[in-house]
């Protein structure tokens, strides 16, 4: 009797069908439109930023020739005797970037190799978030730490200026280490375990297997992480603004004060230059150069990732 009641109750329940209802199509269309609008907003925002940057840059080049901008070796747009040579700013940007990457690449790669190949799972679960926590520290903190701690410490052994490229570059390297390390770690962990086992079967030690098999197999991801780290260093603002100074110099002396493109943009955006003035337009001209540099780096990163990408079955 009880089983009969269960059967009747089961028969009375509405049965679900695999056939699509008209309401399902409407819901899918609504979700599709919402997602498309979200994607469109990001695209239109990018187009708007690029349009405004290059519109004002075009106005800048109506007053300053390409020869003055690309061939002059002095950058003094705020002085009475004006010079608009962009190279001192580019020099300062790439000088601090080179110092930063000389720190971030070995630290990031070594941490990725250790966490992937040597660390116990419990240790890796603690160390990886701890390393990535460095990326969450505000860049202004790195800048003041470089100015108030690193620079005085280095001045005990080196004849540094108070504001210098070396301290700023070192702190930028520590800041970028999580970027290089995290992406490199993902690339190394994506290498199949069978390659490691095959290397071990051939008699290679663990260290030899890492450098001869694992790292070459993860090369595309490692190079992409390095280029993304360079892009991050090129676009860094507060650390170099505070620690590197505001002296645009065409020099290779890392102990001197330099000015980067982002530091100059932060200086001009402070409001000292009237809107529409030539000084104001230099902000967009420098921003256009910075945009093209980072765009080229990202395109190169994507090309490297595709060129050296390894596919495994």
């Amino acid at each position: 009797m009880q089983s009969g009641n269960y059967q009747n109750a089961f028969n009375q329940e509405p049965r679900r069908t695999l056939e699509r209802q008209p309401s399902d199509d409407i819901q899918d269309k609504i979700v599709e439109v919402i997602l498309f609008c979200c994607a469109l907003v990001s695209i239109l925002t990018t187009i708007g930023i690029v349009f405004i940057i290059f519109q004002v840059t075009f106005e800048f080049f109506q007053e300053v020739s390409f020869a003055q901008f690309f061939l002059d070796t002095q950058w003094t747009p705020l002085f009475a005797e004006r010079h608009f040579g962009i190279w001192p700013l580019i020099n300062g940007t790439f000088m601090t970037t080179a110092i930063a990457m000389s720190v971030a690449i070995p630290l990031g790669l070594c941490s990725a190799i250790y966490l992937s190949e040597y660390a116990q799972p419990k240790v890796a679960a603690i160390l990886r978030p701890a390393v990535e926590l460095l990326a969450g520290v505000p860049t202004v903190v790195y800048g003041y730490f470089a100015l108030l701690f690193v620079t005085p410490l280095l001045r005990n052994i080196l004849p540094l200026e108070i504001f210098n490229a070396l301290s700023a570059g070192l702190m930028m390297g520590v800041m970028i280490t999580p970027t290089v390390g995290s992406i490199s770690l993902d690339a190394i962990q994506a290498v199949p375990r069978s390659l490691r086992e095959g290397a071990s079967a051939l008699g290679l030690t663990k260290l030899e297997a890492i450098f001869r098999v694992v790292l070459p197999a993860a090369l595309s991801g490692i190079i992409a992480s390095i280029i993304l780290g360079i892009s991050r260093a090129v676009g860094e603002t507060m650390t170099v603004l505070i620690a590197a100074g505001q002296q645009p110099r065409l020099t290779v002396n890392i102990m001197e004060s330099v000015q980067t493109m982002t530091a100059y943009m932060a200086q001009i955006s402070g409001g000292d230059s009237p809107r529409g003035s030539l000084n104001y337009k230099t902000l967009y001209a420098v921003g256009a150069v910075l945009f093209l540099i980072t765009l080229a780096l990202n395109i190169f990163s994507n090309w490297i990732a595709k060129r050296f990408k390894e596919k495994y079955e």
Side-chain angles (χ1 to χ4, degrees):
M1 188 68 180
Q2 246 180 353
S3 61
N5 292 337
Y6 287 147
Q7 186 66 31
N8 292 334
F10 178 77
N11 292 333
Q12 291 175 0
E13 290 182 358
R15 296 183 178 180
R16 299 190 62 182
T17 178
L18 296 177
E19 296 180 1
R20 294 180 61 83
Q21 301 297 324
S23 59
D24 295 335
D25 294 333
I26 295 174
Q27 292 176 0
D28 289 345
K29 289 293 183 182
I30 293 174
V31 172
E32 181 181 352
V33 170
I34 292 174
L35 296 177
F36 174 78
C37 291
C38 292
L40 189 62
V41 167
S42 61
I43 294 173
L44 292 178
T45 301
T46 303
I47 293 175
I49 292 173
V50 173
F51 175 77
I52 292 174
I53 288 176
F54 284 96
Q55 180 187 30
V56 181
T57 301
F58 178 78
E59 296 176 3
F60 169 80
F61 283 113
Q62 300 298 309
E63 302 181 50
V64 178
S65 67
F66 281 92
Q68 290 177 286
F69 193 69
F70 290 107
L71 299 181
D72 198 347
T73 58
Q74 296 183 60
W75 178 261
T76 57
L78 305 180
F79 292 3
E81 185 179 351
R82 294 182 173 183
H83 293 272
F84 297 94
I86 190 66
W87 291 110
L89 298 183
I90 295 177
N91 173 78
T93 299
F94 281 101
M95 182 186 296
T96 54
T97 299
I99 298 171
M101 297 314 298
S102 67
V103 174
I105 291 175
L107 285 181
L109 284 180
C110 289
S111 63
I113 292 172
Y114 173 75
L115 291 175
S116 175
E117 304 299 321
Y118 290 99
Q120 297 296 325
K122 292 183 179 179
V123 177
I126 297 173
L127 289 182
R128 182 169 186 177
V131 172
E132 293 178 349
L133 186 64
L134 292 173
V137 178
T139 57
V140 66
V141 175
Y142 283 110
Y144 278 110
F145 185 79
L147 178 63
L148 301 177
F149 179 78
V150 177
T151 296
L153 188 65
L154 292 178
R155 293 188 76 186
N156 293 328
I157 54 177
L158 295 172
L160 297 178
E161 295 183 3
I162 295 178
F163 300 100
N164 59 86
L166 179 60
S167 297
L170 291 176
M171 291 313 303
M172 283 173 57
V174 174
M175 181 183 66
I176 297 168
T177 295
T179 301
V180 177
S182 180
I183 300 176
S184 298
L185 177 59
D186 292 336
I188 293 172
Q189 290 181 333
V191 177
R193 193 71 191 173
S194 59
L195 292 183
R196 296 174 174 84
E197 295 172 351
S200 179
L202 292 173
L204 297 181
T205 64
K206 190 169 187 176
L207 186 62
E208 290 174 335
I210 290 172
F211 284 97
R212 295 187 181 183
V213 177
V214 177
L215 293 186
L219 183 62
S220 63
I222 293 173
I223 295 178
S225 72
I226 292 172
I227 297 176
L228 289 176
I230 294 173
S231 298
R232 173 82 188 277
V234 168
E236 173 54 32
T237 303
M238 292 308 300
T239 303
V240 291
L241 177 64
I242 295 172
Q246 299 180 12
Q247 297 293 326
R249 293 171 175 167
L250 193 59
T251 178
V252 293
N253 189 351
I254 61 176
M255 302 181 189
E256 294 181 347
S257 173
V258 296
Q259 187 174 40
T260 65
M261 289 185 284
T262 52
Y264 175 76
M265 293 171 67
Q267 177 188 359
I268 291 298
S269 62
D272 295 334
S273 299
R275 183 181 180 87
S277 65
L278 182 58
N279 292 341
Y280 177 80
K281 293 175 184 177
T282 59
L283 168 66
Y284 290 87
V286 175
V289 174
L290 182 62
F291 171 81
L292 292 176
I293 291 174
T294 53
L295 178 62
L297 288 172
N298 289 331
I299 292 175
F300 183 64
S301 175
N302 291 332
W303 178 82
I304 286 291
K306 293 179 180 179
R307 173 66 177 80
F308 295 100
K309 185 176 182 180
E310 298 285 350
K311 296 183 179 179
Y312 303 100
E313 297 296 337

